Amino acid sequence: MRLEIGNIFIKDVQFGSETKVESNVLYVNKEELIKELSGDEHIKSIDIEIARPGESVRITPVKDVIEPRVKVEGPGGIFPGVLSKVDTVGQGRTHVLKGAAVVTTGKIVGFQEGIIDMTGPGADYTPFSKLFNIVVIAEPVDGLSQHEHEKAVRMVGFKAAKYLGEVARNLTPDEVKVYETETLLEGMKKYPDLPRVGYVYMLQTQGLLHDTYVYGVDAKQIVPTILYPTEVMDGAIISGNCVSACDKNPTYVHLNNPIIEDLYERHGKDINFVGVIITNENVYLADKERSSNMTAKLAKYLGLDAVIISQEGFGNPDTDLIMNCKKIEMEGIKTVIVTDEYAGRDGASQSLADADVRANAVVTGGNANEVVVLPPMEKVIGHVEYVDTIAGGFAGSLREDGSIEVEIQAITGATNETGFGYLTAKTY
C-alpha cells in the first residue's frame, strides 16, 4: 500500500473573511467555522480562539488535539467510519496543514484532561506548544452526562479539522513524502536479508471515557488485528479518551505516530517494516490473556524478528504491556517496550505496575510524577479552575498569582508513550 502525504507548511494562523491558505498563512473565517460546528443539541455555545507558539497563553482543560487533513486521491476519506464512509484508507494522497492543529476545550469532561502552555517551562514539555492552534471552546448544556459530553466535544473537534483540512485540497504541497508497505511476499523477496520488524500498537480501551476508535468502532470490541501503517495516517485510529494528559494519545499523535515515522525512515535500509498489529488494553485478566495471546500469535505468523511495543496509559495497562512483551519474547522475537514511568515525586518508587525479566529493552518517556511550576500566563483559554482536580493536580495547585504547581502528568503530551521524545532502539 502506497500513500503520499502532501505537507502544506503553516507559518501563522489569523482570522479573516475567507478560510484559505495564502503565503503559508492559514486564514480562518471564525463565523463560518462556528456555524459549521453548531447544531449539536448537547453544546450550548461555541467560540474560537487562536494560540500561537511563544504567546503568553494557557489552554486548559484540553480534550483533544487534531491535525487538519484532507483525502485528495484514493479510496475513502479522512476519519473513515466517523466523518467519512467506512472504506479502507491509507493509499493515494492526503494533504496536511502541517504546523496547524485544532485543540478542543471547554468545561471539563473527565478529571484527566490537561494543560498546554504556549510559552515558558510548560511549553518545553508539550509538542503542541510548537503548533499554530485553532482552539475550539465548546460549552455543554447543563446536566449533560460525561459520556454524551465527551462524544459531543470529540465530534466538534473532528468537524473543525475536516473543515480546515478542506482548504488544502487543491493546494500544491510544499513537500510530498511517500510511505509504502509491500505485501508479505513482496517484502520477503525485495528485502531477503533485512530483519523483519513490526509495531505492536496498544490502544487505550479501559472503561468509560477511556475509548479509542478504529474505523469508527470502539476498540473495546476488537480483537488484535493487522493494519497497514498508512491507514493510521488517514485517521483510521482516533482518540476518544480522557486518560492522564501526559500519556494519552490525542488524535494528532495517532495521525503523526513517530514510531511509525521512524520505522518507515529505516524501511528498506536496515529493516523491513512489515506492519502494525493493533491491540486493546483490558480490565479483566481473561481479556488481557486473550488479547496478548493473539498479539503474540500474529507477531509469529508475520515471521517477525523484532517488535516495538507502545502502550497508552499507566498502571493497569502495564500488565497488558508486560504480557505482550513476555509472550512475544517467548516466541523468539526480540522486543523493545516504549512507556513512561510513575516513580513517585522523588523517583524512588517502582516505575511500572508490572515487570518481567524479558522486558530488558525499554525506551522511557520519563517520570510523570515529577513536579513542575508553571508561571502565570497573560491569557487563559478554557477553565483554569479545574487545575486542582485534574490528574497531576492537587488542592492548592492553582496559586493566587495564576501560577500552577503540578506533576507533569497534567501537561498534554508531556511523556507520551508513542510520543515525540521517542528514540528507536535497535532490537536485532
Side-chain angles (χ1 to χ4, degrees):
M1 190 173 284
R2 184 179 192 273
L3 177 67
E4 295 179 359
I5 293 290
N7 291 318
I8 294 95
F9 296 121
I10 300 302
K11 299 179 180 178
D12 192 16
V13 176
Q14 300 178 20
F15 289 124
S17 59
E18 179 185 357
T19 300
K20 62 181 180 180
V21 174
E22 191 172 273
S23 300
N24 297 100
V25 176
L26 172 61
Y27 295 91
V28 180
N29 183 320
K30 179 176 178 178
E31 292 73 24
E32 185 175 272
L33 178 54
I34 291 174
K35 183 178 179 180
E36 183 77 16
L37 304 180
S38 300
D40 189 317
E41 63 181 357
H42 300 111
I43 301 296
K44 67 180 178 183
S45 69
I46 290 175
D47 198 6
I48 311 293
E49 297 270 11
I50 292 172
R52 301 176 181 87
E55 292 183 338
S56 183
V57 174
R58 172 167 293 143
I59 311 167
T60 189
V62 173
K63 172 63 179 66
D64 200 4
V65 184
I66 311 158
E67 185 172 59
R69 297 191 170 201
V70 61
K71 196 92 184 119
V72 297
E73 294 177 9
I78 202 70
F79 308 129
V82 180
L83 294 186
S84 304
K85 68 177 183 178
V86 179
D87 203 346
T88 301
V89 294
Q91 56 186 312
R93 177 181 276 206
T94 297
H95 285 180
V96 181
L97 297 183
K98 185 60 66 178
V102 171
V103 176
T104 48
T105 188
K107 185 179 178 182
I108 198 164
V109 176
F111 67 89
Q112 293 180 302
E113 294 165 64
I115 302 167
I116 296 174
D117 279 359
M118 299 302 293
T119 193
D124 295 335
Y125 286 99
T126 173
F128 308 119
S129 65
K130 318 305 188 292
L131 303 176
F132 293 93
N133 294 313
I134 300 93
V135 186
V136 179
I137 306 104
E139 303 292 3
V141 298
D142 295 337
L144 190 63
S145 70
Q146 285 182 298
H147 181 68
E148 291 175 318
H149 184 188
E150 187 282 321
K151 181 179 180 180
V153 177
R154 176 180 5 122
M155 295 305 297
V156 162
F158 293 142
K159 289 177 181 177
K162 183 177 181 180
Y163 166 87
L164 294 171
E166 190 63 34
V167 304
R169 179 177 294 278
N170 297 315
L171 296 179
T172 300
D174 299 303
E175 170 190 76
V176 177
K177 302 183 74 172
V178 178
Y179 302 89
E180 187 167 12
T181 301
E182 296 80 6
T183 65
L184 295 180
L185 289 177
E186 289 170 343
M188 292 173 70
K189 292 177 181 178
K190 191 172 182 179
Y191 309 113
D193 299 323
L194 295 182
R196 298 168 59 79
V197 179
Y199 172 35
V200 173
Y201 196 173
M202 293 173 53
L203 308 177
Q204 177 56 252
T205 55
Q206 293 191 306
L208 185 65
L209 301 183
H210 289 60
D211 308 317
T212 304
Y213 296 88
V214 180
Y215 282 97
V217 174
D218 189 335
K220 294 182 186 65
Q221 303 174 33
I222 72 167
V223 293
T225 190
I226 300 167
L227 292 184
Y228 280 99
T230 51
E231 293 179 74
V232 182
M233 298 176 181
D234 274 343
I237 299 175
I238 60 172
S239 174
N241 72 61
C242 301
V243 299
S244 285
C246 71
D247 58 9
K248 74 174 285 184
N249 289 328
T251 300
Y252 185 100
V253 173
H254 291 302
L255 293 168
N256 294 278
N257 186 303
I259 294 178
I260 291 176
E261 293 273 357
D262 282 2
L263 290 172
Y264 263 128
E265 182 64 28
R266 297 173 62 175
H267 179 58
K269 299 175 183 176
D270 58 352
I271 66 169
N272 176 7
F273 181 25
V274 175
V276 175
I277 300 169
I278 59 168
T279 182
N280 46 21
E281 299 172 355
N282 298 282
V283 176
Y284 297 108
L285 181 59
D287 296 326
K288 293 176 183 292
E289 294 283 10
R290 180 186 302 110
S291 287
S292 57
N293 286 345
M294 295 186 73
T295 298
K297 180 177 67 176
L298 286 172
K300 182 179 181 181
Y301 180 73
L302 292 174
L304 299 179
D305 298 303
V307 300
I308 295 174
I309 310 170
S310 69
Q311 72 164 332
E312 182 177 11
F314 67 97
N316 190 298
D318 293 348
T319 301
D320 301 78
L321 175 68
I322 296 301
M323 279 187 175
N324 284 323
C325 173
K326 176 177 68 177
K327 292 177 181 180
I328 292 170
E329 284 273 352
M330 290 172 67
E331 294 291 353
I333 303 168
K334 296 181 180 181
T335 65
V336 168
I337 62 175
V338 184
T339 180
D340 62 0
E341 304 176 66
Y342 282 77
R345 294 183 180 180
D346 60 359
S349 299
Q350 180 174 320
S351 296
L352 299 177
D354 201 355
D356 189 272
V357 66
R358 297 173 185 86
N360 57 9
V362 182
V363 176
T364 178
N367 179 19
N369 292 134
E370 181 183 344
V371 176
V372 295
V373 176
L374 309 178
M377 295 286 128
E378 295 176 6
K379 180 178 181 179
V380 173
I381 302 175
H383 298 271
V384 75
E385 65 270 18
Y386 294 111
V387 165
D388 284 2
T389 57
I390 62 176
F394 47 87
S397 280
L398 180 60
R399 298 171 172 177
E400 289 187 4
D401 66 353
S403 63
I404 299 173
E405 181 180 2
V406 288
E407 296 181 2
I408 62 172
Q409 65 170 301
I411 300 173
T412 301
T415 63
N416 188 276
E417 290 106 326
T418 51
F420 293 78
Y422 163 77
L423 298 174
T424 305
K426 195 168 184 178
T427 61
Y428 47 85

